[in-house]
Amino acid sequence: MIIQSPFLAVVESINEALDTKQKRPSSRFISGGTEVIADQNLGLLEPEGYISLRRIKELHTIEPKSDGLYIGAGVVVAQLLDDKAMAQVILLKKAARAFGTRQVRNRATVGGNIASGLPDRTLLPCLLALEATVHLQSAKGKRSLPIKDFLIEPGKTAISKDEILTGTTVPYVKGFQEYYMVGPRNAQFFVTACLALVVDEANKNVRLGLGNAGPTAMRAKEAEEYANNAIDWKKQTVDETIAIKFGEIAAENCSPVSDAAASAAYRRHAIKVMSKRILLRAFERKQ
Amino acid sequence: MSTDERIDYTLKINGKPYKVENAFYSENLLHVLRYRLGLTGTKYGCEHGQCGACTVHIDGKAVCSCMELAACAVGCEITTIEGYNNQDGTLNRLQESFVKHAALQCGYCTPGFIMSAAKFIEENPNCTEDQVREGMDGNLCRCTGYNRIIEAIKEAAEVRK
C-alpha cells in the first residue's frame, strides 16, 4: 500500500484493493481518472473516498492465450495502439485511434471504459461484436461472463459492490473488422453514435455492435440475421441493395435517445448510413 | 469536508521535491500545481480533458493534470512547462518555432500545446503534417487557429531530424 488515509488508498495488489473496499464500502475504485475526476470536477460526483488501482501491476498485462487475447483492466488505451499483440484484435486497435485525445488515451483504461457501462463508450460495441468475456473478482472468488450479460442498463452493469473488474478476453476472429463513429470532434471522449463490424469468416456470419443507439451498447441482431442470409458467402460479395437494407434494419431496430449532442432521428440516420458503408467496405476488397 | 479528509505528501516536480500539506485527498494535480505550489504556467481550461491547456508530463507521458488525483502522482516524475524551458530561462527549439510562426495570440493554450507537442515530436520524429494534425487532437486553441501551430510543430520536428 503506497498511501493509506481514511479517504484515499493507493493499493498495489487486487487483494489489497478488495480488503480496502470491504473496510470502506462507500469508496470508489479509480484508475485513469478520466471519467471519475472529470465528473468530480464538473460537480457530478461527491466522492466518499477513492481506492486507486493504477499501481496494481497484474492489471496491466496484454497476453495472448488459447481462447483469445487477455487484456487487463488497467491497460491504458494508448497501449491498445502500441502493443504488438493487438495486431490479433485489429478492431480494438482501430477503435483506440478514435478514442478521446492523446492525453486521455495515456490515462483512460480498458477496465474503466467497460465498467462505466454507458452507451456512448468506444470499446463496448467493439467487445460486443467480438463476443468478449469480462472477468470479475471479489473476496469470494472469480467469475467470468459474456459482455452482453454484463451490460444491464445505462451506467449499470452486472458488477456488484464488492467486485473488481480484472480484465477481458477477446476471442480471435479471422475476417474484416472495422469501427466507425460520428461525434462533435474526432477527439471527443464520447461518441454521438458509433458501430463496430466483425466478419467471422470461419462461421460465415457478421456481427454488428452499436454504440449510443439505445440504453446500452447493443448488437444489431435483426440486421445481422438479414445479412447472414443475404450475403453470398461463396463469392464473398454484397450488393449495394443488401447493404442499404442492412442499414435500414439496423436503424429501425435501435432506440437512440435525443440529447444535447444529437436528436434520436440524427443518430438513427447515422446508424443507417454507417451500417451500409461498413458492410460494403467489408466485402469490397474481395469483389 | 472535515479536517481528517486532508493529507500531506511530497511531489517530485521538474526534478525538485515539493511538499504539499493539509490538502484535500480529492484535489486534482492542476489545482495543486497552480493554487498550492504557485506553478501557474499550467493553465486551467475545461477541467474534463477536452482542451489540453493543463497538459503536463507524468513519467514521460503527456496527460491532463486536471484529471489526475494529485496524491496518486506521489512517486512519479512530473514535468510542467516551468521545467520544460531551458535551465537559463531562454526558449528551446520548439518554443522558438512557435515564436517564429506566430503560433499564438492570447497564449493561454500555448503551455499545453508545447507540452503535448514536445512528447509528440519525441514519439514521432519523422512526422508528416497529417500526423501532427492527428497527434495534436488533445489541444484546443480558440484564437490563432491551428495552421500556424501545426507549421511551428512541423518545423521543430524537422529541425530535430
Side-chain angles (χ1 to χ4, degrees):
Chain A
M1 188 107 48
I2 292 168
I3 293 181
Q4 192 169 16
S5 83
F7 298 94
L8 178 70
V10 180
V11 298
E12 289 174 290
S13 73
I14 293 175
N15 285 339
E16 243 177 27
L18 292 170
D19 277 356
T20 313
K21 180 77 174 170
Q22 216 162 22
K23 285 175 201 148
R24 302 167 202 160
S26 55
S27 62
R28 189 175 170 139
F29 289 132
I30 177 171
S31 186
T34 50
E35 178 163 333
V36 176
I37 303 301
D39 281 356
Q40 178 194 289
N41 290 344
L42 295 170
L44 302 172
L45 177 78
E46 287 264 350
E48 290 181 76
Y50 291 125
I51 302 170
S52 172
L53 308 175
R54 194 185 288 168
R55 309 286 178 101
I56 304 179
K57 287 209 178 94
E58 57 192 295
L59 293 181
H60 292 252
T61 52
I62 297 181
E63 200 186 333
K65 293 193 174 177
S66 59
D67 59 342
L69 188 68
Y70 176 83
I71 303 171
V75 167
V76 296
V77 175
Q79 272 174 274
L80 297 183
L81 276 171
D82 297 337
D83 200 292
K84 280 190 183 134
M86 292 311 299
Q88 298 182 77
V89 187
I90 201 73
L91 178 59
L92 292 185
K93 197 171 162 144
K94 286 178 174 175
R97 192 173 164 199
F99 186 120
T101 69
R102 268 171 72 80
Q103 291 94 319
V104 168
R105 287 195 290 273
N106 280 332
R107 276 292 181 253
T109 62
V110 171
N113 206 253
I114 299 172
S116 75
L118 293 167
D120 60 0
R121 293 304 188 247
T122 301
L123 300 180
L124 294 173
C126 303
L127 294 172
L128 278 168
L130 289 162
E131 299 189 333
T133 306
V134 176
H135 308 291
L136 306 168
Q137 189 175 334
S138 72
K140 285 171 233 148
K142 297 177 182 179
R143 67 180 175 126
S144 299
L145 68 164
I147 182 91
K148 69 175 169 52
D149 299 335
F150 180 78
L151 304 171
I152 296 172
E153 52 186 77
K156 189 167 179 253
T157 64
I159 198 163
S160 65
K161 279 194 171 170
D162 60 346
E163 271 179 324
I164 186 169
L165 194 146
T166 54
T168 175
T169 301
V170 186
Y172 309 117
V173 185
K174 198 171 168 289
F176 175 92
Q177 303 183 1
E178 186 59 276
Y179 174 81
Y180 282 3
M181 66 164 270
V182 283
R185 170 185 174 208
N186 267 351
Q188 197 80 16
F189 54 69
F190 61 85
V191 296
T192 299
C194 69
L195 50 81
L197 184 78
V198 171
V199 179
D200 186 340
E201 285 178 357
N203 296 309
K204 295 194 171 35
N205 64 39
V206 298
R207 307 202 290 256
L208 183 68
L210 306 179
N212 228 358
T216 65
M218 60 197 264
R219 282 273 291 276
K221 285 283 185 193
E222 296 81 1
E224 288 176 7
E225 204 174 310
Y226 166 76
N228 290 340
N229 293 323
I231 292 168
D232 186 338
W233 289 98
K234 262 193 190 151
K235 286 191 193 155
Q236 296 271 321
T237 55
V238 163
D239 287 346
E240 193 166 357
T241 48
I242 292 173
I244 291 170
K245 186 85 179 151
F246 177 70
E248 281 171 1
I249 298 173
E252 270 164 31
N253 290 288
C254 65
S255 51
V257 293
S258 288
D259 61 19
S263 65
Y266 176 86
R267 287 198 165 95
R268 217 181 270 280
H269 182 70
I271 293 291
K272 184 168 90 178
V273 175
M274 289 194 294
S275 302
K276 180 192 95 179
R277 286 182 189 165
I278 206 165
L279 191 69
L280 283 174
R281 179 85 194 280
F283 289 91
E284 73 181 354
R285 283 186 217 131
K286 288 166 190 153
Q287 280 175 7
Chain B
M1 286 183 182
S2 64
T3 50
D4 60 353
E5 284 180 66
R6 291 170 180 250
I7 53 175
D8 301 339
Y9 48 87
T10 303
L11 295 177
K12 194 173 175 196
I13 304 166
N14 305 326
K16 287 185 230 150
Y18 284 81
K19 234 177 148 58
V20 180
E21 289 174 328
N22 217 17
F24 291 110
Y25 74 95
S26 57
E27 275 175 58
N28 63 45
L29 180 61
L30 173 66
H31 190 274
V32 169
L33 287 174
R34 287 182 62 83
Y35 305 122
R36 289 194 183 272
L37 304 176
L39 295 168
T40 51
T42 306
K43 299 301 182 219
Y44 180 132
C46 67
E47 274 213 309
H48 62 290
Q50 293 282 306
C51 76
C54 66
T55 304
V56 298
H57 300 167
I58 300 181
D59 287 341
K61 298 278 177 201
V63 301
C64 292
S65 59
C66 70
M67 298 191 296
E68 190 78 11
L69 274 185
C72 287
V74 170
C76 299
E77 297 276 348
I78 302 165
T79 308
T80 66
I81 188 73
E82 287 90 347
Y84 181 71
N85 290 330
N86 289 335
Q87 290 293 316
D88 60 3
T90 57
L91 300 181
N92 62 33
R93 197 184 283 155
L94 178 60
Q95 291 167 317
E96 291 281 10
S97 187
F98 265 64
V99 174
K100 182 183 161 193
H101 288 272
L104 60 146
Q105 213 173 83
C106 84
Y108 198 84
C109 69
T110 310
F113 262 104
I114 295 282
M115 295 306 276
S116 293
K119 270 295 150 209
F120 175 75
I121 292 173
E122 199 183 305
E123 290 165 16
N124 305 274
N126 299 311
C127 50
T128 63
E129 185 182 321
D130 283 348
Q131 285 172 323
V132 178
R133 285 186 184 276
E134 184 176 341
M136 296 307 295
D137 63 358
N139 291 76
L140 296 178
C141 167
R142 297 280 92 146
C143 47
T144 316
Y146 297 95
N147 284 344
R148 290 171 180 209
I149 296 173
I150 303 298
E151 279 164 21
I153 296 168
K154 181 104 201 323
E155 188 175 296
E158 278 165 10
V159 175
R160 243 184 100 87
K161 274 182 206 170

